[in-house]
């Protein structure tokens, strides 16, 4: 199906209304539907009131229980898909203030236990030095001091031993000269330092791999537990909550992970590349 970015994430109320109408059409109570779908009555009520966005599998269970088929079922599932997908455009984030986006990420990180970052193009803010953060924001207009401060503040979450992080970076992401040679050398040293944290697994996929790699990286993405995936593009971010999307990205991550080097081998590569930047400034 084709999505209109303006409607993504805004279909919860429409979905709630059609599900409620289908239940009433079937002559069922919320209690009866909840029992049939192995849900609580409260969950059904929250779905029908729009307080809760149901997963696609929940909608499928409800439709099956109510006997909804054909065009009706197809249209309702399309609504469910749209309600579980959100588009955050870059210009909208700029208008609101990029520091507000950092607050949203901090709230999401607070409720997440396992993080998977796939970084084929550049280094993420959680791993970045202050110079790298400032240079990564240089194309944005206006005062970026609050956004820089928020990005650096978020890095404290790496010290939370109850959370676990896996960062996969391609060699291109690590070596792309976003900042000056000295700043890049310091950035690579920072990566090596973070890789020693006990709750952090940091790997690099080198270009000089032995053997072919069937997968082709398309975009930066982050998987938050099994809750959602954020896929970043040049003009915004796509938020996917459908469990099938989350599972697909987790599987992609595992395939990329099999090509990465970790531990001392990774730090050795980072050290070599850092020395290259160091020599460039001499």
């Amino acid at each position: 199906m084709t999505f209109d970015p303006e409607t993504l994430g805004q279909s919860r109320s429409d979905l709630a209304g059609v599900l409620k109408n289908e239940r009433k059409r079937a002559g069922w109570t919320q209690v009866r539907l909840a029992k049939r779908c192995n849900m609580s009555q409260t969950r059904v009520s929250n779905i029908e009131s729009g307080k809760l966005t149901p997963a696609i599998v929940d909608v499928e269970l409800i439709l099956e229980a109510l006997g909804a088929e054909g065009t009706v079922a197809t249209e309702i599932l399309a609504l469910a898909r749209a309600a579980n997908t959100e588009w955050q455009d870059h210009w909208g984030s700029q208008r609101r203030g990029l520091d507000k986006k950092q607050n949203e990420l901090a709230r999401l990180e607070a409720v997440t236990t396992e993080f998977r970052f796939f970084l084929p193009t550049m280094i993420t803010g959680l791993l970045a030095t202050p110079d790298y953060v400032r240079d990564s924001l240089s194309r944005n207009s206006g005062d970026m001091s609050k956004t820089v401060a928020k990005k650096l503040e978020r890095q404290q979450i790496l010290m939370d031993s109850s959370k676990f992080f896996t960062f996969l970076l391609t060699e291109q992401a690590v070596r792309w000269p976003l900042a000056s040679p000295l700043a890049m050398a310091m950035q690579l040293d920072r990566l090596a330092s973070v890789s020693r944290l006990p709750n952090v697994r940091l790997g690099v996929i080198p270009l000089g791999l032995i053997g072919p790699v069937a997968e082709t990286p398309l975009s930066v993405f982050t998987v938050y537990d099994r809750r959602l995936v954020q896929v970043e593009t040049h003009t915004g971010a796509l938020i996917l909550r459908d469990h099938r999307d989350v599972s697909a990205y987790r599987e992609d991550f595992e395939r990329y992970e099999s090509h990465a080097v970790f531990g001392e081998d990774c730090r050795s590569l980072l050290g070599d590349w850092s020395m290259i930047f160091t020599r460039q400034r001499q």
Side-chain angles (χ1 to χ4, degrees):
M1 72 180 282
T2 301
F3 288 127
D4 176 0
E6 297 298 322
T7 65
L8 295 183
Q10 299 176 5
S11 303
R12 181 187 297 180
S13 59
D14 293 337
L15 178 61
V18 296
L19 289 176
K20 183 176 183 179
N21 289 339
E22 281 301 301
R23 175 181 60 78
K24 289 186 173 181
R25 179 194 58 77
W28 286 31
T29 65
Q30 288 185 348
V31 173
R32 182 182 177 186
L33 179 61
K35 287 182 178 179
R36 181 65 178 270
C37 297
N38 196 28
M39 300 179 187
S40 68
Q41 186 272 331
T42 300
R43 182 175 182 83
V44 171
S45 176
N46 287 338
I47 289 173
E48 290 189 356
S49 65
K51 294 179 181 178
L52 175 67
T53 301
I56 306 295
V57 66
D58 290 338
V59 176
E60 289 173 339
L61 285 171
I62 290 172
L63 294 177
E64 182 180 356
L66 296 175
E69 299 176 335
T71 303
V72 171
T74 299
E75 291 178 352
I76 293 175
L77 285 171
L79 272 178
R81 181 76 165 161
N84 278 276
T85 307
E86 179 183 350
W87 171 250
Q88 298 178 349
D89 69 89
H90 179 70
W91 298 279
S93 295
Q94 279 195 319
R95 287 193 299 271
R96 292 186 296 110
L98 293 180
D99 58 308
K100 304 295 191 302
K101 173 65 174 179
Q102 297 304 308
N103 291 335
E104 292 172 4
L105 288 172
R107 288 193 291 271
L108 178 56
E109 289 161 357
V111 298
T112 302
T113 299
E114 292 185 349
F115 301 78
R116 292 167 173 81
F117 291 81
F118 179 62
L119 307 164
T121 58
M122 64 182 293
I123 297 165
T124 187
L126 288 184
L127 301 173
T129 63
D131 283 340
Y132 192 95
V133 170
R134 281 189 286 268
D135 286 328
S136 71
L137 295 170
S138 60
R139 71 184 180 93
N140 295 284
S141 59
D143 183 6
M144 290 290 107
S145 58
K146 286 185 178 180
T147 302
V148 172
K150 291 287 186 182
K151 276 181 172 283
L152 297 176
E153 181 181 317
R154 283 176 47 226
Q155 294 179 357
Q156 293 300 313
I157 199 168
L158 296 174
M159 301 296 111
D160 187 341
S161 60
S162 69
K163 299 181 183 294
F164 302 91
F165 303 83
T166 303
F167 297 95
L168 292 183
L169 302 97
T170 63
E171 180 176 339
Q172 174 173 312
V174 173
R175 300 183 65 180
W176 188 261
L178 184 69
S180 69
L182 176 59
M184 290 302 301
M186 294 175 64
Q187 175 59 74
L188 269 61
D189 292 345
R190 157 79 175 167
L191 294 179
S193 176
V194 172
S195 74
R196 296 182 183 277
L197 294 174
N199 60 328
V200 171
R201 192 163 182 260
L202 190 149
V204 171
I205 303 174
L207 293 176
L209 286 171
I210 300 175
V213 180
E215 298 79 23
T216 302
L218 296 177
S219 57
V220 174
F221 66 83
T222 307
V223 185
Y224 298 87
D225 290 328
R226 294 185 179 274
R227 180 180 294 109
L228 63 85
V229 178
Q230 176 170 280
V231 183
E232 298 182 39
T233 75
H234 183 64
T235 57
L238 194 62
I239 313 299
L240 305 172
R241 295 182 176 85
D242 183 353
H243 74 98
R244 292 172 295 191
D245 291 326
V246 176
S247 296
Y249 275 95
R250 285 173 65 102
E251 290 169 5
D252 285 347
F253 190 90
E254 290 177 3
R255 285 193 290 268
Y256 294 133
E257 188 175 10
S258 69
H259 299 295
V261 295
F262 295 89
E264 290 302 328
D265 289 338
C266 176
R267 287 187 283 272
S268 178
L269 283 175
L270 293 172
D272 291 343
W273 297 334
S274 177
M275 285 302 299
I276 292 173
F277 282 117
T278 299
R279 287 195 293 269
Q280 287 177 3
R281 63 179 289 268
Q282 295 175 349

